[in-house]
Amino acid sequence: HCLLNDGGEDALLGAGPRELIVIAALCTRGEVELAADHIRRAYDYGMSKKNVLEAICSVIPMTGMITAQIGLRAMQRADVPVR
């Protein structure tokens, strides 16, 4: 696996940081609902709202402000309890 060091069992990135990468990627693709699911997971792994926002904003130079708008919408949906 690309996140394992020298074939060892310890991941270089923990689950929380990996979720942040997935969130940024989903926002660039316009996947609001999927991003919201991963945002909830990131919160469960100890990531803060600031961490999530920074991950989303990190791709703005490459993708434009629409990614931030999608990310903010996903953050809002992540705050709504799942039924």
Side-chain angles (χ1 to χ4, degrees):
H1 191 276
C2 65
L3 299 177
L4 298 180
N5 187 17
D6 297 317
E9 294 182 13
D10 296 326
L12 294 176
L13 290 175
R18 285 196 307 264
E19 287 295 334
L20 296 178
I21 293 167
V22 171
I23 292 164
L26 289 170
C27 289
T28 63
R29 296 182 53 93
E31 299 286 351
V32 175
E33 292 301 326
L34 287 173
D37 291 341
H38 283 275
I39 290 169
R40 287 185 201 99
R41 255 188 236 160
Y43 293 158
D44 290 343
Y45 287 128
M47 298 291 102
S48 68
K49 288 184 180 191
K50 182 179 178 185
N51 295 142
V52 171
L53 184 59
E54 286 177 348
I56 294 165
C57 290
S58 70
V59 294
I60 290 173
M62 289 80 69
T63 61
M65 281 302 293
I66 189 68
T67 299
Q69 292 171 342
I70 291 165
L72 290 172
R73 194 173 309 131
M75 289 180 75
Q76 289 173 330
R77 293 211 180 148
D79 288 338
V80 175
V82 179
R83 295 180 184 180

